[in-house]
Amino acid sequence: MPRTLNEVVFVDGVRTPFGKAGEKGMYAQTRADDLVVRCIRELLKRNPQLPKDRVEEVAIAATTQIGDQGLTLGRLAALLSGLPNTTPGYSVDRMCAGAMTAVTNVASSIGYGAYDIAIAGGVEHMGRHPMGEGIDPNPRLIGEKLVDQSALSMGNTAENLHDRFPQLTKERSDAFAVGSQTKLAKAYEAGKIQPDLVPMATRHSERGAGLATQDEPPRPGTTMDELAKLKTPFRPHGAVTAGNAAGLNDGATACILASEATAEELGLPVKMRLVSFGFVGVEPEVMGIGPVPATEKALAKAGLTIEDIGLFELNEAFAVQVLAFLDHFGIADDDPRVNEYGGAIATGHPLASSGVRLMTQLAAQFKEHPEVRYGLTAMCIGIGMGGSVIWENPHHADYGKDA
């Protein structure tokens, strides 16, 4: 039977403010599933023209699928969000790219015609569930030298990246980190972050009830001198510090994806169109290089080159992995097209949730930059992978002409 593939569009995306992991963090005694449920409920509220029974799938990612992040989280989140019990759901795990993978999974199903509308997102409560909690890596990985011991520590893989590319100095990483903090502070001052933030009620047995309305991790005003004094926890006299890497964070994201025809039928906004995506494996010991071949794959599938990309949202797990990407493609460290609103070094990186944050910020930037036709969201992924997704700007004069 002949099939017609559907164009897939990004309708809307939101996130909670990101918190610092640990007992002092604002989400210390808030459930992980409540964070992502809050996002889904806000999406439904912001898009009242979307009947709840038209949502045909909920895919939610978490890296540590245990406790309040376990038990087929997508299905539980659907039920807790007020969607009908006929809406199925499932969980996704691709470490840092969990939400990104949730998006590409449901987008593929929409494109194929399995359904028309889905919700995708991710959550990570690293305070309740530290990365690696309860895991038992097969000893053959190290014993048979399939990977080096350093591959199981993301910070060590970042140090390895500094070793492999000596031009990626600590000073460059620190300067990039200062830029991330500065750009986020300016974006907050200009009111560019707040529209897609969902205020989140919090509770604590000692501090009482609260309301989270902005990100907790940012350190505005950070200087090079301050970063130069920080310890290098992964290696004596190393290059990776708490200042040029993302921290340990709690937070959630969610977005609506739909076929272009269904979005038009229901009067849903179209903030981006999916063009292509690519996931790849790389040497686990230098997992930070993953976005490079992933982007090359996505560009090749789209018939585009890096020169066609006008905006970049690159996840800042470590400054060095963003710099490796920029060097490879001949992009300056301070290129204004890159992470215009700052990145994970400032905002925070609750692992599996971050992919949708990148997309939501790119969608906002598309509206500000109608001259830009294509944008890219990309991230490195633990155990040696990379992911990259290319989007088209509906505000561009040539939008959809060669779709």
Side-chain angles (χ1 to χ4, degrees):
M1 182 179 77
R3 294 183 182 275
T4 301
L5 297 180
N6 299 311
E7 295 293 343
V8 181
V9 297
F10 184 98
V11 170
D12 198 7
V14 298
R15 68 177 177 89
T16 67
F18 290 167
K20 294 181 179 179
E23 186 55 33
K24 294 182 179 180
M26 60 189 182
Y27 297 134
Q29 295 182 14
T30 300
R31 290 182 61 95
D33 47 10
D34 283 340
L35 293 173
V36 74
V37 165
R38 179 73 182 90
C39 290
I40 297 173
R41 286 178 173 172
E42 182 66 16
L43 284 174
L44 297 172
K45 179 181 177 182
R46 283 164 54 125
N47 297 277
Q49 66 273 53
L50 172 59
K52 291 182 179 180
D53 61 1
R54 293 293 297 271
V55 178
E56 298 172 86
E57 186 73 276
V58 176
I60 301 298
T63 299
T64 307
Q65 296 190 11
I66 192 171
D68 53 349
Q69 290 181 176
L71 198 60
T72 315
L73 186 55
R75 171 60 171 169
L76 294 184
L79 293 171
L80 290 164
S81 301
L83 292 170
N85 61 16
T86 51
T87 303
Y90 64 99
S91 298
V92 177
D93 176 18
R94 204 198 295 258
M95 296 194 76
C96 301
M100 176 179 279
T101 303
V103 166
T104 57
N105 280 359
V106 301
S108 299
S109 294
I110 292 170
Y112 178 75
Y115 43 76
D116 297 319
I117 300 176
I119 289 175
V123 62
E124 208 73 52
H125 198 306
M126 299 183 74
R128 282 174 172 255
H129 308 296
M131 183 169 63
E133 179 187 15
I135 66 168
D136 179 21
N138 195 306
R140 292 198 301 111
L141 284 170
I142 306 300
E144 298 180 12
K145 301 187 185 302
L146 299 176
V147 301
D148 183 77
Q149 180 73 42
S150 65
L152 302 182
S153 165
M154 300 307 103
N156 283 321
T157 69
E159 289 284 7
N160 291 343
L161 207 55
H162 276 288
D163 292 342
R164 182 161 298 191
F165 301 104
Q167 77 275 18
L168 306 180
T169 63
K170 181 179 183 299
E171 289 70 27
R172 281 181 67 183
S173 287
D174 286 351
F176 186 85
V178 169
S180 183
Q181 297 285 354
T182 301
K183 288 187 285 186
L184 178 62
K186 289 181 178 178
Y188 259 110
E189 289 173 9
K192 295 180 178 182
I193 301 295
Q194 296 89 330
D196 297 319
L197 282 186
V198 181
M200 180 70 201
T202 64
R203 61 182 182 183
H204 193 281
S205 59
E206 296 178 2
R207 300 196 295 265
L211 186 67
T213 59
Q214 64 182 38
D215 296 310
E216 197 175 23
R219 298 181 296 275
T222 296
T223 67
M224 289 289 287
D225 286 343
E226 290 169 338
L227 295 185
K229 297 174 184 176
L230 295 178
K231 296 178 180 179
T232 56
F234 302 103
R235 180 186 299 178
H237 310 294
V240 179
T241 71
N244 59 31
L248 304 179
N249 304 111
D250 308 328
T253 61
C255 67
I256 299 171
L257 294 117
S259 70
E260 193 168 43
T262 301
E264 182 177 355
E265 171 202 343
L266 296 176
L268 294 168
V270 172
K271 296 187 175 182
M272 304 191 290
R273 181 182 74 88
L274 179 63
V275 177
S276 69
F277 64 87
F279 290 97
V280 301
V282 297
E283 296 170 74
E285 295 80 6
V286 286
M287 66 98 189
I289 202 66
V292 170
T295 294
E296 291 175 333
K297 182 177 182 178
L299 287 169
K301 287 186 175 297
L304 300 173
T305 68
I306 199 69
E307 286 73 26
D308 293 310
I309 305 300
L311 289 167
F312 296 83
E313 275 293 318
L314 307 177
N315 193 47
E316 299 170 0
F318 302 94
V320 65
Q321 52 93 192
V322 181
L323 295 174
F325 180 99
L326 299 179
D327 266 22
H328 178 85
F329 288 110
I331 301 169
D333 294 4
D334 59 353
D335 191 305
R337 299 173 298 165
V338 177
N339 296 0
E340 185 177 338
Y341 298 170
I345 289 172
T347 307
H349 175 30
L351 301 182
S353 71
S354 289
V356 168
R357 178 189 66 79
L358 302 178
M359 296 168 191
T360 300
Q361 292 192 179
L362 179 62
Q365 291 162 29
F366 270 166
K367 189 175 182 180
E368 295 178 0
H369 294 282
E371 77 282 5
V372 170
R373 185 171 185 185
Y374 298 108
L376 178 143
T377 55
M379 56 203 317
C380 62
I381 310 168
I383 317 299
M385 293 180 283
S388 186
V389 187
I390 298 173
W391 303 88
E392 185 179 13
N393 186 355
H395 306 284
H396 190 273
D398 294 329
Y399 171 72
K401 285 189 177 179
D402 53 2

